[in-house]
Amino acid sequence: MLSSDLRYALRMMRRTPMFTAAVLLTISLAIGANTAIFSVVNAVMLRPFPFTKPNRIMQIAEKNDKLNLTNFGASLLNFASWREQVHAFQEIAAIGYQNFTLTGGSGDPEQVTGNRISPALMRVLGVSPIAGRGFTDDEEKPGAAPVAMISQGLWKSRFGSDPNLLGHTITIDGAPTTLVGIAPSGLYLFGGGEVFIPLVIDPPKENRLNHVMSVFGRLKDGATPQDAQAEMDIISKRVGQQYPEVSDWSIQLITLFDTFVTSDLKTGLLVLMWAVAFVLLIACANIANLLLARAAAREVEMATRTALGADRRRLLIQSLVESVTLSVFGGMIGIALGLWAVHLSDRLIPPDLLPMPGIPVDATVLVFAVGLTVLTGLIFGIVPALRSSRADLNSVLKQMGRGSSSSKMRARFRHGLAAAELALAAILLIGAGLLIQTLVNLKHAQLGFNSHGLITFQLAPPTAKYPLNSTAPLFYRSLVESLESVPGVKGAAISSAVPLGAGNYTTTPMAPDGQSILPVGTSIPIDWRIVSPSYFKSLEIPLLRGRAFTDADAPPAPRVIIISETTAKKLWGDSDPIGRVLHRAADPKTLYTVVGVVGNVRNTALNQESPALYFPMAARVWPRMDIIVRTDGSLDALLPSIRQKVHELDAELALAKVRMMEEYLSLNAAQPRMNAVLLGVFSGMALLIAAIGIYGVLAYSVNQRTREIGLRMALGAQRGNVVRLVVSEGMIVGMIGVVIGLVGGLVMGRAVSSLVYGVPARDPLTFIGVAVALTIVAFAACVVPARRAASVDPIIALRYE
């Protein structure tokens, strides 16, 4: 029985090629879009992390309510104190971030990212090395023999996957180090590290106020996050009583999901998932309209079958088989399109946008796609199938040639579907319009510096060879002088992080020492970084007041800082900030004097102009620093000379992250660009399908009203009257859809409010523009059926009827 229904469905598809092509195209686009976006959502939000029972793993972060710091890094010494007292966790482990320079073996010196990890980390995560072993607890102690693990990618790229490498020595930061294992791929989530060494805890060398570690723990069986939070609250109070300098710091437990998936990424993916769901609903409404029109044309056939003995269940199954068959064929094309889109996105999406290196297509994605395909066929086929199965020969024959209340109800239903399509398209267009304006605003944002012609790269001289507070600043000073001597170089500078880059910068609560417009005891979070004296000139950041740094700002000279204009206004309003004093909220005894004020710079994000503060490089540097070179030439032409100047100072140093500043700008706009482009594509698809839906409804209406239109024209109606009649009918449907869509757009605006920049979430111009565009599209969709109606010959129409 089912096989005969399937054969009949295939014959119907061959018999109506234009109808079949329209349905297959609509389904394939909708299923393809849903498959592609669900693949990303599955990979980022639904797919379990590559750890054993990841829902039992929590991040143990520190917070300070007085300083308004949440989800902050942990102190290494606090971690050691927690580890001695904790019971709700099986184990806890800490992770530190570090850059390493590999030398020796095949290839030039290479700077790679890496982590210092507690030996317990892999037990906490429930993972094992791909080859070799992990670290032992003894290797965490000071004085232990240096050992390391490397990532599978580095093992393959630098060492050719040499199976005999384990147990041999490699050189890391100039020190011979025994390679003991190949790290599991799951460690990629913790900063994309390629080299891992044991986290050595040497209390005399650590500062309990240095909150730079990430700590994770695995809950014991039977322990709940609430139990663990209550215990950690008690432990943090106990540690605060023992060490008063951290008495204001407490603990906040965070799920693994919230650790790795940012709120903006989560919001963006949810908006895109709703967008493709809307596209699917529009497609279902459109196809349902087409099937309803075909069902009306086949009423005599279905009524005849009923008269010959076919029961309603039999006709219902046959109609559903036809719709599901159409959906399956369209879904197969759509799944192929979706998988192709996923493969393409793996190459186009910037590497740091998602928390994993690629978008896997697993069984969950395929089951979703197949299930959605079948469900889609049932959704758009159920109403036409019910309508067909109720056909009665006597009623059909009576209705032929004249209208009926049931036919009017069917017309209203089809009009309602068309209006719903347009409403959903309006919602998507409003969201796309807001995000596109955001992208344009980000592109034209005032950066505060001149990004043109800036080459950046990173260096990480071994701290054993270049101590951070003595030899390292002198090395960087020599490097700047050497780079400035290269032909084509207009300036060079050093910074702990380039603007919009992912270098070493942090946000620290700072408080004024003395008179301020802030209430007494109030501090504000300020982004800070370490820079060379040439930094502001090289980036063309204007010096508004005071002076720039000099090489004389090294100890034992007084501690000095330069602040941004926003920082000055937040602390002292319009008063002159030169000579004013600041201190870190956590360290009131160490004072810094303001010697200069510079223009505001978008240091951390294109959509943020946060307060900024700069420390002189002469006093101290980070283990890894960014080097900035301004030139009128190209990167390829200048890079050999830059590399030569670095190697003249130290042949074992490796350049890392060599790129133009424009690449950082592009990376910062990557997520807004992805959101805007995809939502724009989906809204365009939705608008096209909705326009086809209105056209189809009116074309069918004109076909059904041929006799009425012929009669009107025979009685003297002009072509213009007929055109206005048909267009007005379609525009009523269209305007109802537009109005409902604008109301829905208010909700959409609220949903994307965290993603927009420089435009209100309920921007009147966007709403008006969408309303005008949809009105034009609806009018255009009405014109063709209207002109067709006006061309009806009254004699032929009446004779036909």
Side-chain angles (χ1 to χ4, degrees), residues 88 224-236 253:
T224 66
Q226 292 75 21
D227 295 334
Q229 182 67 67
E231 182 186 51
M232 296 307 295
D233 288 342
I234 295 173
I235 292 175
S236 67
L253 300 185

Side-chain angles (χ1 to χ4, degrees), residues 10 99 117 137 181-182 239 337 347 422 458 474 477 579 590 605:
L10 295 174
N99 281 64
I117 63 174
D137 292 337
I182 306 302
V239 172
L337 287 174
R347 293 186 294 173
L422 208 59
Q458 293 181 342
L474 298 177
R477 185 192 306 174
T590 303

